[in-house]
Amino acid sequence: MSGRRSGSGVSSISDDQITHLVFKLQQLIPELCARRSHKASASKVLQETCDYIRNLHKEVEDLSDRLSQLLASIDTDNDQAAIVRSLLM
Amino acid sequence: MNNPHRLNPTSLKSRFTTRFLRALTKIRAQKPISSSSPTEIFRRYRRIKVAADKSMAYSVRSRRIWSRAMLCKLRSRSYRRQDPCSGRRSGKTNQAIMKKSSNENTTTRREDGVGFVEEADELRQLVPGGETMNLCNLLDETAHYIKCLTTQVQVMKKIADFYSF
């Protein structure tokens, strides 16, 4: 391979596009978004993204666990549902 | 103009909340919550976790590669429950998804010094359907997936807090 991009009729991804997408991702990660003006390296952004997603997965698991123990007291009739929804504004 | 005091009924958060609350009601109604045996609690935990993922995937529908992949996985899980031999069927569906995404640009392995192939592969393991995505899609899908995960966490936290008192 001579390092050419295999197009097969489709335009290849430009470096700028990648950089832009990586930067967009950086702004979603709490660890990194403080450095809004400074672009972290793509490698760092992806690494932090993986850690962040793993944390979120763990949070979902912990919350599911918590909810499974609370389930007996959950009475999700229409009124309750409305109350909860109002809390989520 | 967004009215901050009203929940937009068409927002992702709203769709997810409605579905998830409905699912919780169903789970609660399925078995009387008298027994607190570890097995029962674990079963409930699994059901709630699946309900959370399902509610999110259905709220996004097929608009995203990751949600399509997740819906496919959820459906094949329920097929397998009913019929252990239907694993092959789900394999074919997965291949269909793979063909769809990998027809696009295939330069996922770049030798011109981009240098984050390993991290990208790691990310691919975490995002549903990631193995089939080229780099551009992966980054785009990841951003959306993260937004949805944070919504999911936010809503579940509020519900848990509400019923904790």
Coordinates of all heavy atoms in Angstrom, one line a residue, chain B residues 35-127:
Chain B
S35 N -40.9 -11.1 47.7 CA -39.6 -11.7 47.9 C -38.4 -10.8 47.6 O -38.4 -10.1 46.6 CB -39.5 -13.0 47.1 OG -39.4 -12.6 45.7
S36 N -37.5 -10.7 48.5 CA -36.3 -9.9 48.2 C -35.1 -10.9 48.1 O -34.0 -10.5 48.6 CB -36.1 -8.9 49.4 OG -37.2 -8.1 49.5
S37 N -35.4 -12.0 47.6 CA -34.2 -12.9 47.4 C -33.2 -12.3 46.4 O -33.6 -11.6 45.5 CB -34.7 -14.3 46.9 OG -35.1 -14.2 45.6
P38 N -32.0 -12.6 46.6 CA -31.0 -12.1 45.7 C -31.2 -12.3 44.2 O -31.0 -11.5 43.4 CB -29.7 -12.7 46.1 CG -29.9 -13.1 47.6 CD -31.4 -13.4 47.7
T39 N -31.8 -13.6 44.0 CA -32.1 -13.9 42.6 C -33.2 -13.0 42.0 O -33.1 -12.5 40.9 CB -32.6 -15.3 42.5 OG1 -32.0 -16.1 43.5 CG2 -32.3 -15.9 41.1
E40 N -34.2 -12.8 42.8 CA -35.3 -11.9 42.4 C -34.8 -10.5 42.1 O -35.1 -9.9 41.1 CB -36.4 -11.8 43.5 CG -37.5 -12.8 43.2 CD -38.0 -12.7 41.8 OE1 -38.4 -11.6 41.3 OE2 -38.1 -13.7 41.1
I41 N -34.0 -10.0 43.1 CA -33.5 -8.6 42.9 C -32.6 -8.5 41.7 O -32.7 -7.6 40.9 CB -32.7 -8.2 44.2 CG1 -33.7 -8.0 45.3 CG2 -32.0 -6.9 43.9 CD1 -33.0 -7.5 46.6
F42 N -31.8 -9.6 41.5 CA -30.9 -9.5 40.3 C -31.8 -9.6 39.0 O -31.5 -8.9 38.1 CB -29.9 -10.7 40.3 CG -29.0 -10.7 39.1 CD1 -28.0 -9.8 39.0 CD2 -29.2 -11.5 38.0 CE1 -27.2 -9.7 37.9 CE2 -28.4 -11.5 36.9 CZ -27.3 -10.6 36.9
R43 N -32.8 -10.4 39.0 CA -33.7 -10.4 37.8 C -34.3 -9.1 37.5 O -34.4 -8.7 36.4 CB -34.8 -11.5 38.0 CG -34.3 -12.9 37.7 CD -35.5 -13.7 37.2 NE -35.1 -15.1 37.3 CZ -35.6 -16.0 38.2 NH1 -36.5 -15.6 39.0 NH2 -35.1 -17.2 38.2
R44 N -34.8 -8.5 38.6 CA -35.4 -7.1 38.5 C -34.4 -6.2 37.9 O -34.7 -5.4 37.0 CB -35.9 -6.7 39.8 CG -37.4 -6.6 39.9 CD -37.8 -6.1 41.3 NE -37.8 -7.2 42.3 CZ -37.6 -6.9 43.6 NH1 -37.3 -5.7 44.0 NH2 -37.6 -7.9 44.5
Y45 N -33.2 -6.2 38.4 CA -32.1 -5.3 38.0 C -31.8 -5.5 36.5 O -31.7 -4.6 35.7 CB -30.8 -5.6 38.8 CG -29.5 -5.2 38.1 CD1 -29.1 -3.9 38.0 CD2 -28.7 -6.2 37.5 CE1 -28.0 -3.6 37.4 CE2 -27.6 -5.9 36.8 CZ -27.2 -4.5 36.8 OH -26.1 -4.2 36.1
R46 N -31.8 -6.8 36.1 CA -31.5 -7.0 34.6 C -32.7 -6.4 33.8 O -32.4 -5.8 32.8 CB -31.5 -8.5 34.4 CG -30.2 -9.2 34.7 CD -29.0 -8.8 33.9 NE -29.2 -8.6 32.4 CZ -28.3 -8.0 31.6 NH1 -27.2 -7.5 32.1 NH2 -28.6 -7.9 30.4
R47 N -33.9 -6.7 34.3 CA -35.0 -6.2 33.5 C -35.1 -4.7 33.4 O -35.4 -4.1 32.4 CB -36.3 -6.7 34.1 CG -36.7 -8.0 33.6 CD -38.1 -8.4 34.0 NE -38.2 -9.8 34.3 CZ -38.7 -10.3 35.4 NH1 -39.1 -9.5 36.4 NH2 -38.7 -11.6 35.6
I48 N -34.7 -4.0 34.5 CA -34.7 -2.6 34.5 C -33.6 -2.1 33.6 O -33.8 -1.1 32.8 CB -34.5 -2.0 35.9 CG1 -35.8 -2.3 36.7 CG2 -34.2 -0.6 35.9 CD1 -35.6 -1.9 38.2
K49 N -32.5 -2.7 33.6 CA -31.3 -2.2 32.8 C -31.7 -2.4 31.3 O -31.5 -1.5 30.5 CB -30.1 -3.1 33.1 CG -29.0 -2.9 32.2 CD -27.8 -2.2 32.8 CE -26.7 -1.8 31.8 NZ -26.8 -2.3 30.4
V50 N -32.3 -3.6 31.0 CA -32.7 -3.8 29.6 C -33.8 -2.8 29.2 O -33.8 -2.2 28.1 CB -33.2 -5.2 29.4 CG1 -33.9 -5.4 28.0 CG2 -32.1 -6.2 29.5
A51 N -34.7 -2.5 30.1 CA -35.8 -1.5 29.8 C -35.2 -0.2 29.6 O -35.7 0.6 28.7 CB -36.8 -1.5 31.0
A52 N -34.2 0.2 30.3 CA -33.6 1.5 30.1 C -32.9 1.6 28.7 O -33.1 2.6 28.0 CB -32.5 1.8 31.2
D53 N -32.2 0.6 28.3 CA -31.6 0.6 27.0 C -32.6 0.5 25.9 O -32.5 1.2 24.9 CB -30.6 -0.6 26.9 CG -29.4 -0.5 27.7 OD1 -29.1 0.7 28.1 OD2 -28.7 -1.5 28.0
K54 N -33.6 -0.3 26.1 CA -34.7 -0.4 25.1 C -35.4 0.9 25.0 O -35.7 1.3 23.8 CB -35.7 -1.5 25.6 CG -36.2 -2.4 24.6 CD -37.0 -3.5 25.2 CE -37.4 -4.5 24.1 NZ -38.1 -5.6 24.8
S55 N -35.8 1.5 26.1 CA -36.5 2.8 26.0 C -35.7 3.8 25.2 O -36.2 4.6 24.5 CB -36.8 3.3 27.4 OG -37.5 2.4 28.1
M56 N -34.4 3.8 25.5 CA -33.5 4.8 24.8 C -33.5 4.5 23.3 O -33.6 5.3 22.4 CB -32.1 4.8 25.4 CG -31.2 5.9 24.8 SD -32.0 7.5 24.8 CE -31.8 8.0 26.4
A57 N -33.2 3.2 23.0 CA -33.1 2.8 21.6 C -34.4 3.1 20.8 O -34.4 3.6 19.7 CB -32.7 1.3 21.5
Y58 N -35.5 2.8 21.4 CA -36.8 3.1 20.7 C -37.1 4.5 20.6 O -37.8 5.0 19.7 CB -37.9 2.3 21.4 CG -38.1 0.9 20.9 CD1 -37.6 -0.2 21.7 CD2 -38.6 0.6 19.7 CE1 -37.7 -1.5 21.3 CE2 -38.7 -0.7 19.3 CZ -38.3 -1.7 20.0 OH -38.4 -3.0 19.6
S59 N -36.6 5.3 21.5 CA -36.8 6.8 21.4 C -36.0 7.4 20.3 O -36.4 8.4 19.8 CB -36.4 7.4 22.8 OG -37.2 7.0 23.8
V60 N -34.9 6.7 20.0 CA -34.1 7.2 18.8 C -34.5 6.5 17.5 O -34.3 7.1 16.4 CB -32.6 7.0 19.1 CG1 -31.7 7.5 18.0 CG2 -32.2 7.7 20.4
R61 N -35.1 5.4 17.7 CA -35.5 4.6 16.5 C -34.3 4.3 15.6 O -33.2 4.1 16.0 CB -36.6 5.3 15.8 CG -37.9 5.3 16.6 CD -39.1 4.9 15.8 NE -40.2 4.6 16.7 CZ -40.6 3.4 16.9 NH1 -40.1 2.4 16.3 NH2 -41.6 3.2 17.8
S62 N -34.6 4.3 14.3 CA -33.5 3.9 13.4 C -32.8 5.0 12.8 O -32.1 4.9 11.7 CB -34.1 3.0 12.3 OG -35.3 3.7 11.7
R63 N -32.8 6.2 13.5 CA -32.2 7.3 12.9 C -30.7 7.3 13.0 O -30.0 8.1 12.4 CB -32.7 8.6 13.6 CG -34.2 8.9 13.2 CD -34.5 10.4 13.6 NE -34.3 10.6 15.0 CZ -35.2 10.5 15.9 NH1 -36.4 10.0 15.5 NH2 -35.0 10.7 17.2
R64 N -30.2 6.4 13.9 CA -28.8 6.4 14.1 C -28.2 4.9 13.9 O -29.0 4.0 14.2 CB -28.5 6.8 15.5 CG -28.6 8.3 15.7 CD -27.3 8.9 15.3 NE -27.5 10.4 15.1 CZ -26.5 11.2 14.8 NH1 -25.3 10.6 14.6 NH2 -26.6 12.4 14.7
I65 N -27.0 4.8 13.5 CA -26.4 3.5 13.4 C -26.4 2.8 14.7 O -26.7 1.6 14.8 CB -25.0 3.6 12.8 CG1 -24.9 4.3 11.5 CG2 -24.4 2.2 12.6 CD1 -23.5 4.5 10.9
W66 N -26.0 3.5 15.8 CA -25.9 2.8 17.1 C -27.3 2.4 17.6 O -27.4 1.3 18.2 CB -25.2 3.7 18.1 CG -26.0 4.9 18.6 CD1 -25.9 6.2 18.2 CD2 -27.0 4.9 19.7 NE1 -26.7 7.0 19.0 CE2 -27.4 6.2 19.9 CE3 -27.5 3.9 20.5 CZ2 -28.4 6.5 20.8 CZ3 -28.4 4.2 21.4 CH2 -28.9 5.5 21.6
S67 N -28.3 3.2 17.3 CA -29.6 2.8 17.8 C -30.2 1.6 17.0 O -30.8 0.7 17.5 CB -30.6 3.9 17.8 OG -30.8 4.4 16.4
R68 N -29.8 1.5 15.7 CA -30.2 0.4 14.9 C -29.6 -0.9 15.4 O -30.2 -1.9 15.5 CB -29.9 0.6 13.4 CG -30.8 1.6 12.7 CD -30.7 1.5 11.2 NE -29.4 1.8 10.6 CZ -29.1 3.0 10.2 NH1 -29.9 4.0 10.4 NH2 -27.9 3.3 9.7
A69 N -28.3 -0.7 15.7 CA -27.5 -1.9 16.2 C -28.1 -2.4 17.5 O -28.2 -3.6 17.8 CB -26.0 -1.5 16.3
M70 N -28.4 -1.4 18.4 CA -28.9 -1.8 19.7 C -30.3 -2.4 19.6 O -30.6 -3.4 20.2 CB -29.0 -0.5 20.6 CG -29.2 -0.9 22.0 SD -29.4 0.5 23.1 CE -27.8 0.6 23.8
L71 N -31.1 -1.9 18.7 CA -32.4 -2.5 18.5 C -32.3 -3.9 18.0 O -33.0 -4.8 18.4 CB -33.3 -1.7 17.5 CG -33.8 -0.4 18.1 CD1 -34.4 0.5 17.0 CD2 -34.9 -0.6 19.1
C72 N -31.4 -4.1 17.1 CA -31.1 -5.4 16.5 C -30.7 -6.4 17.6 O -31.2 -7.5 17.7 CB -30.0 -5.3 15.5 SG -29.9 -6.8 14.5
K73 N -29.8 -6.0 18.5 CA -29.3 -6.8 19.5 C -30.4 -7.1 20.5 O -30.5 -8.3 20.9 CB -28.2 -6.1 20.3 CG -27.4 -7.0 21.2 CD -26.2 -6.3 21.8 CE -26.5 -5.4 23.0 NZ -25.3 -4.9 23.7
L74 N -31.3 -6.2 20.8 CA -32.4 -6.4 21.8 C -33.3 -7.4 21.2 O -33.8 -8.3 21.9 CB -33.1 -5.1 22.1 CG -32.3 -4.1 23.0 CD1 -32.9 -2.7 22.9 CD2 -32.2 -4.6 24.4
R75 N -33.6 -7.2 19.9 CA -34.6 -8.2 19.2 C -34.0 -9.6 19.2 O -34.7 -10.5 19.5 CB -34.9 -7.7 17.8 CG -35.9 -6.6 17.9 CD -36.2 -6.0 16.5 NE -36.9 -4.8 16.7 CZ -36.9 -3.7 15.9 NH1 -36.0 -3.7 14.9 NH2 -37.6 -2.7 16.1
S76 N -32.7 -9.7 18.9 CA -32.2 -11.1 18.8 C -32.1 -11.7 20.2 O -32.2 -12.9 20.3 CB -30.8 -11.0 18.2 OG -29.8 -10.5 19.1
R77 N -32.0 -10.9 21.2 CA -32.0 -11.4 22.6 C -33.4 -12.0 22.9 O -33.4 -13.1 23.4 CB -31.7 -10.3 23.6 CG -30.3 -10.1 23.9 CD -30.1 -9.1 25.0 NE -30.0 -9.6 26.3 CZ -30.9 -9.5 27.2 NH1 -31.9 -8.7 27.1 NH2 -30.7 -10.0 28.4
S78 N -34.4 -11.4 22.5 CA -35.7 -11.9 22.8 C -36.0 -13.1 21.9 O -36.7 -14.0 22.3 CB -36.8 -10.8 22.6 OG -36.9 -10.4 21.3
Y79 N -35.5 -13.1 20.7 CA -35.7 -14.3 19.8 C -35.0 -15.5 20.5 O -35.6 -16.6 20.5 CB -35.1 -14.1 18.4 CG -35.9 -13.2 17.5 CD1 -35.2 -12.5 16.5 CD2 -37.3 -13.1 17.6 CE1 -36.0 -11.6 15.7 CE2 -38.0 -12.2 16.8 CZ -37.3 -11.5 15.8 OH -38.0 -10.7 15.0
R80 N -33.8 -15.2 21.0 CA -33.0 -16.4 21.5 C -33.7 -16.9 22.7 O -33.6 -18.1 23.0 CB -31.6 -15.9 21.9 CG -30.6 -16.6 20.9 CD -29.2 -16.2 21.3 NE -28.8 -14.9 20.8 CZ -28.2 -14.0 21.5 NH1 -27.9 -14.2 22.8 NH2 -27.9 -12.8 21.0
R81 N -34.4 -16.0 23.5 CA -35.1 -16.5 24.6 C -36.2 -17.5 24.2 O -36.4 -18.6 24.9 CB -35.8 -15.3 25.3 CG -34.9 -14.5 26.1 CD -35.2 -14.7 27.6 NE -34.2 -13.8 28.4 CZ -34.4 -12.5 28.5 NH1 -35.5 -12.0 28.1 NH2 -33.5 -11.8 29.2
Q82 N -36.9 -17.2 23.1 CA -38.0 -18.1 22.8 C -37.5 -19.3 22.1 O -38.0 -20.4 22.2 CB -39.0 -17.4 21.8 CG -39.7 -16.2 22.5 CD -40.2 -15.2 21.5 OE1 -40.3 -15.5 20.3 NE2 -40.4 -14.0 21.9
D83 N -36.5 -19.2 21.3 CA -36.0 -20.3 20.4 C -34.5 -20.2 20.4 O -33.9 -19.4 19.7 CB -36.6 -20.2 19.0 CG -36.0 -21.2 18.1 OD1 -35.4 -22.2 18.6 OD2 -36.2 -21.1 16.9
P84 N -33.8 -21.1 21.0 CA -32.4 -21.1 21.1 C -31.7 -21.3 19.7 O -30.5 -20.9 19.5 CB -32.0 -22.3 22.0 CG -33.2 -22.9 22.5 CD -34.4 -22.2 21.8
C85 N -32.4 -21.8 18.7 CA -31.8 -22.0 17.4 C -31.9 -20.8 16.5 O -31.5 -20.9 15.4 CB -32.5 -23.2 16.7 SG -32.4 -24.7 17.8
S86 N -32.4 -19.7 17.0 CA -32.6 -18.6 16.0 C -31.4 -17.7 16.1 O -31.4 -16.6 15.6 CB -33.8 -17.8 16.4 OG -33.7 -17.3 17.6
G87 N -30.3 -18.2 16.7 CA -29.1 -17.3 16.7 C -28.6 -17.0 15.3 O -28.1 -15.9 15.1
R88 N -28.8 -17.9 14.4 CA -28.3 -17.7 13.0 C -29.0 -16.5 12.4 O -28.4 -15.8 11.6 CB -28.5 -18.9 12.2 CG -27.6 -20.0 12.6 CD -26.9 -20.8 11.4 NE -26.1 -21.9 12.0 CZ -26.5 -23.1 12.0 NH1 -27.7 -23.5 11.5 NH2 -25.7 -24.0 12.6
R89 N -30.3 -16.5 12.6 CA -31.1 -15.4 12.0 C -30.5 -14.1 12.4 O -30.4 -13.2 11.6 CB -32.5 -15.6 12.4 CG -33.5 -14.9 11.5 CD -34.8 -14.7 12.1 NE -35.3 -15.9 12.7 CZ -36.3 -15.9 13.6 NH1 -36.9 -14.8 13.9 NH2 -36.7 -17.0 14.1
S90 N -30.2 -13.9 13.7 CA -29.8 -12.6 14.2 C -28.4 -12.3 13.6 O -28.0 -11.2 13.3 CB -29.7 -12.6 15.7 OG -28.7 -13.5 16.1
G91 N -27.6 -13.4 13.3 CA -26.3 -13.2 12.6 C -26.5 -12.6 11.3 O -25.8 -11.7 10.9
K92 N -27.5 -13.0 10.6 CA -27.7 -12.4 9.2 C -28.1 -11.0 9.3 O -27.6 -10.2 8.5 CB -28.8 -13.2 8.5 CG -28.4 -14.4 7.8 CD -29.3 -14.9 6.7 CE -28.8 -16.2 6.2 NZ -29.9 -17.2 6.1
T93 N -28.9 -10.7 10.3 CA -29.3 -9.3 10.4 C -28.1 -8.4 10.7 O -28.0 -7.3 10.2 CB -30.4 -9.1 11.5 OG1 -31.1 -10.3 11.6 CG2 -31.2 -7.9 11.3
N94 N -27.3 -8.9 11.6 CA -26.1 -8.1 11.9 C -25.2 -7.9 10.7 O -24.7 -6.8 10.4 CB -25.2 -8.8 12.9 CG -25.8 -8.7 14.3 OD1 -26.5 -7.7 14.6 ND2 -25.5 -9.5 15.2
Q95 N -25.1 -8.9 9.8 CA -24.3 -8.8 8.6 C -25.0 -7.7 7.7 O -24.2 -7.0 7.0 CB -24.3 -10.1 7.8 CG -23.2 -11.0 8.3 CD -23.2 -12.3 7.6 OE1 -23.6 -12.4 6.5 NE2 -22.7 -13.3 8.3
A96 N -26.3 -7.6 7.7 CA -26.9 -6.6 6.9 C -26.5 -5.2 7.3 O -26.3 -4.4 6.5 CB -28.4 -6.8 6.9
I97 N -26.5 -5.1 8.6 CA -26.1 -3.8 9.2 C -24.7 -3.5 8.8 O -24.3 -2.4 8.4 CB -26.2 -3.7 10.7 CG1 -27.7 -3.7 11.1 CG2 -25.6 -2.5 11.2 CD1 -27.9 -3.6 12.6
M98 N -23.8 -4.5 8.9 CA -22.4 -4.3 8.6 C -22.2 -3.9 7.1 O -21.5 -3.0 6.8 CB -21.6 -5.6 8.9 CG -21.4 -5.8 10.3 SD -20.7 -7.4 10.7 CE -19.0 -7.0 10.4
K99 N -23.0 -4.5 6.2 CA -22.8 -4.2 4.8 C -23.2 -2.7 4.6 O -22.6 -2.0 3.9 CB -23.7 -5.1 4.0 CG -23.1 -6.4 3.7 CD -23.4 -6.9 2.3 CE -22.7 -8.2 2.1 NZ -23.5 -9.4 2.4
K100 N -24.3 -2.3 5.3 CA -24.8 -1.0 5.1 C -23.7 0.1 5.4 O -23.6 1.0 4.7 CB -26.0 -0.8 6.0 CG -26.9 0.4 5.6 CD -28.2 0.3 6.4 CE -29.1 1.5 6.0 NZ -30.3 1.5 6.7
S101 N -23.0 -0.1 6.6 CA -22.1 0.9 7.0 C -20.8 0.8 6.3 O -20.1 1.8 6.1 CB -21.9 0.8 8.5 OG -23.1 0.6 9.1
S102 N -20.4 -0.4 6.0 CA -19.0 -0.5 5.5 C -18.9 -0.3 4.0 O -17.8 -0.4 3.4 CB -18.4 -1.8 5.9 OG -19.1 -2.9 5.3
N103 N -20.0 0.0 3.3 CA -19.9 0.3 1.9 C -19.4 1.7 1.7 O -18.9 2.1 0.7 CB -21.3 0.3 1.3 CG -21.6 -1.1 0.7 OD1 -20.7 -1.9 0.6 ND2 -22.9 -1.4 0.5
E104 N -19.5 2.5 2.8 CA -18.9 3.8 2.7 C -17.4 3.7 2.8 O -16.8 2.7 2.8 CB -19.5 4.6 3.9 CG -21.0 4.8 3.8 CD -21.7 4.8 5.1 OE1 -21.0 5.1 6.1 OE2 -22.9 4.5 5.2
N105 N -16.8 4.9 2.9 CA -15.4 5.0 3.0 C -14.7 4.0 3.9 O -15.1 3.8 5.1 CB -15.0 6.4 3.4 CG -13.5 6.6 3.1 OD1 -12.7 5.8 3.5 ND2 -13.2 7.8 2.5
T106 N -13.8 3.2 3.4 CA -13.2 2.2 4.3 C -11.8 2.5 4.8 O -11.1 1.6 5.3 CB -13.1 0.9 3.4 OG1 -12.3 1.2 2.3 CG2 -14.4 0.3 3.1
T107 N -11.5 3.8 4.8 CA -10.1 4.1 5.3 C -10.2 4.2 6.8 O -10.0 5.3 7.4 CB -9.6 5.4 4.7 OG1 -10.6 6.4 4.9 CG2 -9.3 5.3 3.3
T108 N -10.4 3.1 7.4 CA -10.3 3.1 8.9 C -8.9 2.9 9.4 O -8.6 3.3 10.5 CB -11.2 2.0 9.5 OG1 -10.9 0.8 8.9 CG2 -12.7 2.3 9.2
R109 N -8.1 2.3 8.6 CA -6.7 2.1 9.0 C -5.9 3.0 8.2 O -5.6 2.8 7.0 CB -6.3 0.7 8.7 CG -7.1 -0.3 9.5 CD -6.2 -0.9 10.7 NE -6.9 -1.9 11.4 CZ -7.9 -1.6 12.3 NH1 -8.3 -0.3 12.4 NH2 -8.5 -2.5 13.0
R110 N -5.5 4.1 8.7 CA -4.7 5.1 7.9 C -3.2 5.0 8.3 O -2.9 4.9 9.4 CB -5.2 6.5 8.2 CG -6.6 6.7 7.7 CD -7.2 7.8 8.4 NE -6.5 9.1 8.2 CZ -7.1 10.1 7.5 NH1 -8.3 10.0 7.0 NH2 -6.4 11.2 7.3
E111 N -2.4 5.0 7.3 CA -1.0 4.8 7.5 C -0.3 6.1 7.4 O 0.9 6.2 7.4 CB -0.4 3.8 6.6 CG -0.9 2.4 6.9 CD -0.8 1.5 5.7 OE1 -0.3 1.9 4.7 OE2 -1.2 0.3 5.9
D112 N -1.0 7.2 7.2 CA -0.3 8.5 7.1 C -0.2 9.2 8.4 O -0.4 10.4 8.5 CB -1.0 9.3 6.0 CG -2.5 9.3 6.2 OD1 -3.0 8.6 7.1 OD2 -3.2 9.9 5.4
G113 N 0.0 8.5 9.5 CA 0.4 9.2 10.7 C -0.7 9.7 11.6 O -0.6 10.6 12.3
V114 N -1.9 9.2 11.4 CA -3.0 9.6 12.2 C -2.8 9.2 13.7 O -3.0 9.9 14.6 CB -4.4 9.2 11.7 CG1 -5.5 9.4 12.7 CG2 -4.7 9.9 10.4
G115 N -2.4 7.9 13.8 CA -2.0 7.5 15.1 C -2.9 7.2 16.3 O -2.5 7.2 17.4
F116 N -4.2 7.1 16.0 CA -5.1 6.7 17.1 C -6.0 5.6 16.8 O -7.1 5.5 17.2 CB -5.9 7.9 17.6 CG -6.6 8.7 16.5 CD1 -7.8 8.3 16.0 CD2 -6.0 9.9 16.1 CE1 -8.4 9.0 15.0 CE2 -6.6 10.6 15.1 CZ -7.8 10.2 14.5
V117 N -5.4 4.7 16.0 CA -6.2 3.5 15.6 C -6.6 2.6 16.8 O -7.7 2.2 16.9 CB -5.3 2.7 14.6 CG1 -6.0 1.3 14.4 CG2 -5.2 3.4 13.3
E118 N -5.7 2.5 17.8 CA -6.0 1.6 18.9 C -7.2 2.2 19.7 O -8.1 1.5 20.2 CB -4.8 1.5 19.8 CG -3.9 0.4 19.4 CD -2.6 0.4 20.2 OE1 -2.7 0.7 21.4 OE2 -1.6 -0.1 19.6
E119 N -7.1 3.6 20.0 CA -8.1 4.2 20.8 C -9.4 4.1 20.0 O -10.5 3.9 20.6 CB -7.8 5.7 21.0 CG -6.7 5.9 22.0 CD -5.3 5.8 21.4 OE1 -5.2 5.4 20.2 OE2 -4.3 6.1 22.1
A120 N -9.4 4.2 18.7 CA -10.6 4.2 17.9 C -11.2 2.8 18.0 O -12.4 2.6 18.1 CB -10.3 4.5 16.4
D121 N -10.3 1.8 18.0 CA -10.9 0.4 18.1 C -11.5 0.2 19.5 O -12.5 -0.5 19.6 CB -9.7 -0.6 17.9 CG -9.4 -0.8 16.4 OD1 -10.3 -0.3 15.6 OD2 -8.4 -1.3 16.0
E122 N -10.9 0.8 20.5 CA -11.4 0.6 21.8 C -12.8 1.2 21.9 O -13.7 0.7 22.5 CB -10.5 1.3 22.8 CG -10.6 0.9 24.2 CD -9.7 1.7 25.2 OE1 -8.6 2.1 24.7 OE2 -10.1 1.9 26.3
L123 N -12.9 2.4 21.2 CA -14.2 3.1 21.2 C -15.2 2.2 20.5 O -16.4 2.2 20.8 CB -14.0 4.4 20.5 CG -15.2 5.4 20.5 CD1 -15.7 5.7 22.0 CD2 -14.8 6.7 19.9
R124 N -14.8 1.6 19.4 CA -15.7 0.8 18.6 C -16.3 -0.3 19.5 O -17.5 -0.8 19.2 CB -15.0 0.1 17.5 CG -14.8 1.0 16.3 CD -14.4 0.3 15.0 NE -14.3 1.2 13.9 CZ -13.2 1.9 13.6 NH1 -12.1 1.7 14.3 NH2 -13.2 2.7 12.6
Q125 N -15.6 -0.8 20.5 CA -16.2 -1.8 21.4 C -17.2 -1.3 22.3 O -18.1 -2.0 22.7 CB -15.1 -2.4 22.3 CG -13.9 -3.0 21.5 CD -14.3 -4.2 20.6 OE1 -15.1 -5.1 21.1 NE2 -13.9 -4.2 19.4
L126 N -17.2 0.0 22.5 CA -18.1 0.6 23.5 C -19.4 1.2 22.9 O -20.4 1.2 23.5 CB -17.4 1.7 24.2 CG -16.3 1.3 25.2 CD1 -15.5 2.5 25.6 CD2 -16.8 0.6 26.4
V127 N -19.3 1.6 21.6 CA -20.5 2.1 21.0 C -21.2 1.0 20.2 O -20.6 0.3 19.4 CB -20.1 3.3 20.0 CG1 -21.3 3.8 19.2 CG2 -19.4 4.4 20.7

